Amino acid sequence: MRKSLLACSLLLCPTAFAAAPHWEYSGEAGPAKWASLTPEFGQCAGSNQSPVNLAGLVEAELAPLQFHYLPGGKTLVNNGHTVQVNYAPGSSLELDGMRFELKQFHFHAPSENLIEGRSYPLEGHLVHANDKGELAVVAVMFEPGWANGALSQAWQTLPAKAGEMHSLEQPISAEQLLPAQRDYYRFSGSLTTPPCSEGVRWLVMKQPVQVSQAQIDAFKAVMHHPNNRPVQPLNGRLVLQ
């Protein structure tokens, strides 16, 4: 996995969408065609792609996740494919003896990953990178219930148009997106958007977090369409729990 490829992915460079090859979630530039749109997207046809249906779970001794999050969500951008909160340096996840810095978090509706066939109305991805450019994504499933505090802050200035960016009055803490119980599933996968780079450590929280239906609807309203890539074959990969 090349650091430059990851560093310039749409997920880590929110302004890169203006110059990147055009892709969509449906039609002639939809997921089935991503790999053929440009050689840069060739990995979208790889054998270790995300999202997946987390099934055939394998019992394992997974180490507890160690989150060190400060309030650092400072800007909110609609990049045409999702709404993303960019994070200031200083917050991290300890994993596999390494420090992965939280770069940003963003959302998909409906969920991209499925848990034993179940879809959720909203999924959050907290994207981290270590000093080698390797990525770790913490996925959180959301279900209708009480309003989420972090989204209440962010959605006050929800950017309605692609390319629109807003600064947040107060920095948001990603800690508010995490469930109280930190049990998780783990598998090896890829970015779920072009260039679909593989080698991403995926950590899917078992316990969903509540958001209000109004918060879900507000996100869907600015996206105008579902922004979930269809699940990809596991191809023999193990999903640990």
Side-chain angles (χ1 to χ4, degrees):
M1 189 189 316
R2 292 177 298 164
K3 185 172 181 178
S4 59
L5 186 63
L6 290 176
C8 293
S9 75
L10 295 180
L11 294 181
L12 295 182
C13 298
T15 56
F17 72 96
H22 178 72
W23 58 271
E24 298 178 354
Y25 279 103
S26 61
E28 289 303 307
K33 304 290 183 67
W34 287 352
S36 61
L37 293 176
T38 171
E40 298 170 49
F41 296 172
Q43 282 199 65
C44 296
S47 59
N48 294 293
Q49 289 289 293
S50 297
V52 301
N53 177 27
L54 287 84
L57 305 172
V58 176
E59 295 291 335
E61 292 292 331
L62 296 178
L65 296 177
Q66 298 182 54
F67 296 99
H68 305 286
Y69 286 171
L70 301 171
K74 294 196 171 182
T75 57
L76 189 67
V77 62
N78 180 336
N79 64 19
H81 302 293
T82 188
V83 171
Q84 175 173 306
V85 175
N86 296 320
Y87 225 77
S91 294
S92 64
L93 164 69
E94 287 184 37
L95 182 67
D96 299 339
M98 293 177 283
R99 180 182 182 274
F100 288 78
E101 185 169 281
L102 178 60
K103 299 294 186 178
Q104 52 92 347
F105 59 84
H106 64 272
F107 301 90
H108 298 270
S111 68
E112 296 201 295
N113 292 290
L114 306 180
I115 298 180
E116 296 188 296
R118 180 180 177 182
S119 173
Y120 289 80
L122 185 70
E123 179 176 352
H125 290 166
L126 289 76
V127 183
H128 308 71
N130 65 13
D131 58 8
K132 295 185 288 186
E134 298 170 341
L135 298 186
V137 178
V138 174
V140 179
M141 301 299 179
F142 293 95
E143 60 184 6
W146 299 103
N148 178 272
L151 297 193
S152 294
Q153 284 181 263
W155 276 199
Q156 288 179 9
T157 55
L158 198 58
K161 297 179 181 179
E164 193 173 330
M165 180 182 289
H166 294 157
S167 296
L168 298 170
E169 290 185 8
Q170 298 292 330
I172 294 173
S173 175
E175 187 82 25
Q176 294 176 282
L177 300 176
L178 298 175
Q181 300 296 324
R182 304 291 168 84
D183 294 338
Y184 64 99
Y185 308 101
R186 178 171 181 165
F187 70 96
S188 179
S190 71
L191 297 176
T192 65
T193 60
C196 308
S197 308
E198 295 185 343
V200 178
R201 294 166 168 87
W202 276 89
L203 312 159
V204 181
M205 308 306 293
K206 288 187 177 183
Q207 183 184 41
V209 173
Q210 290 190 358
V211 293
S212 69
Q213 187 61 50
Q215 289 175 326
I216 297 171
D217 292 343
F219 175 78
K220 292 165 69 173
V222 300
M223 284 291 97
H224 305 297
H225 55 75
N227 69 332
N228 63 312
R229 185 189 191 189
V231 294
Q232 305 296 302
L234 277 170
N235 292 322
R237 283 176 287 168
L238 299 179
V239 179
L240 307 179
Q241 69 168 341

